[in-house]
Amino acid sequence: MGEEIRDSLRRPLQIIGLVLIWSFTADGLCGAEPDVRRDAAVQAIEQVMPSVVNIATETIIHVRDPFEELFRGFWDPYHRRQPPHSQYSLGSGVVIDEAGYLLTNDHVVRRADKIAVKLSSGTNVYEATVAANDPKSDVALLKLKARPGEKFKAIKLAREDDLLLGETVLALGNPFGLGGSVSRGILSSKSRTAPKEGEALDIPNWLQTDASINLGNSGGPLVNLRGELIGINVAVLSEAQGIGFAIPIKRVIEALSEIFPTEFVKSFWFGARVKVGTTPLVISTVQPESPAGRSGLKNGDAILEVNGRTPKSFIDFTDLLARQAGAEVRLVVQRGTERRNVAVRLVPEKDVFNREMIREKLGLNLEELTPQLAGRYGVRASDGFIVTGVEPGSPAASAELHRGVLVTAIDGQTPPDVTGAAKLLYTKKKGERVQLEIAVQQRLGNFNVLRQGAVEMTAR
């Protein structure tokens, strides 16, 4: 009987305890309720904004108008040529790799002599250089000159074609270096047509959004609510309201695969490309006579390890290769269900890609411009090459090229040196067309002027 009484007394106490526990738990839950203002858009912005940067450029303009000089010389025989002056521009960009690589529009940095970058989350200003660029897609990859070991917050790339018409999108930038700028809208239209080979990307190939693309936001990211990069802001239609454009992530990835070729690693030839944006990285092309081709690597091989480490990105992959570029590089790849060990020994690119290769392909001797020679032509040393010889009966001879002609571009690209020119020609098979943009110096009265033109020839 005593036990029954004690049990009956315990039950109310247990109930009271449960009520108290429930009360404290409920209060705790109420206290932990998330702020309704921090919706998916706010969280995506918080995630992405540390990757957004402001880009300021300086371009030195060398003024040279022979007709103006002629008239000035007539009225004032003691006049001097106008000194160079600087032109400034602003834009935005977004970090895509923790090592300090960032994306922007090519038109933001095109022909810039100096590039300064400031992160939206800090006050430090970094000098940057153009690591690679593609005028046709209007995409440029920059590299920050950072302290050794310094890491940056990188944005995550969305999957190709992972786009929903009408989904909420955010356009970010850092115009004028005053801090992050954000506008919100929807994806009004996906890329409508695929670009044709050799043609520049334009409105029909871009994403359309009604999120405002503010002045200075060119090169900034267009992101979805997961904080993933789906495009690079490129333009706004000034004739209308609520019509902005961005380069789709698919085109960005394609451009990166072209302009940051992993088959060349810090002056060494590897000979295989990996597809950007995949995890693990997958080999997309292998050059047959290259070190990669001779080692047995094939298209579709998934790269699991490089010298015992797993590459985190396509940029990290090239860095891992570069650490032992002069020695044997050990790769672990997955081919179907089979795991393979592959050894590759990279070779110096100048041993393969040189003046001799250019001569074999076109019958043309090209030399880099010296500062003195460039000054004589009124151009920059980086603006092209000079023809120093033409082989009789060669494609160059058929195109009527001769000594003294400037070659300013090869198939629309101006490589930085003879090695770069040879790389462009290496991919040309026998019988394929090559277009050279040229400039010929001609005498006009008391002045020399450059006449621009283009010639086509067939590789041999």
Side-chain angles (χ1 to χ4, degrees), residues 324-401:
Q324 281 187 250
E328 188 175 80
V329 179
R330 293 173 291 102
L331 304 178
V332 178
V333 301
Q334 187 80 31
R335 183 178 300 168
T337 59
E338 186 181 0
R339 186 182 175 105
R340 293 189 172 209
N341 295 311
V342 178
V344 186
R345 185 175 294 275
L346 281 61
V347 300
E349 60 182 8
K350 288 186 178 180
D351 290 353
V352 182
F353 305 95
N354 46 37
R355 294 174 179 83
E356 181 63 21
M357 175 179 284
I358 297 174
R359 189 195 63 77
E360 290 176 358
K361 289 282 186 179
L362 302 178
L364 190 65
N365 293 331
L366 283 186
E367 297 286 344
E368 296 165 13
L369 287 172
T370 63
Q372 296 78 10
L373 192 57
R376 193 183 308 166
Y377 279 86
V379 298
R380 298 183 299 182
S382 60
D383 284 342
F385 309 89
I386 187 167
V387 176
T388 59
V390 175
E391 183 181 305
S394 67
S398 300
E400 299 182 354
L401 293 179

Side-chain angles (χ1 to χ4, degrees), residues 41 45 164-172 182-189 208-214 221-225 230 233 242-244:
I45 293 165
L164 301 175
L165 193 62
E167 70 172 305
T168 298
V169 295
L170 307 166
L172 294 88
V182 183
S183 57
R184 177 174 177 163
I186 65 169
L187 188 62
S188 307
S189 179
Q208 181 184 324
T209 177
D210 63 351
S212 299
I213 309 294
N214 299 314
L222 185 71
V223 305
N224 58 25
L225 290 184
I230 66 169
N233 302 328
I243 299 181

Side-chain angles (χ1 to χ4, degrees), residues 289-309:
E289 299 302 317
S290 68
R294 291 171 179 167
S295 72
L297 287 174
K298 294 185 178 180
N299 295 356
D301 285 350
I303 300 172
L304 305 180
E305 292 181 8
V306 180
N307 291 327
R309 290 187 55 184

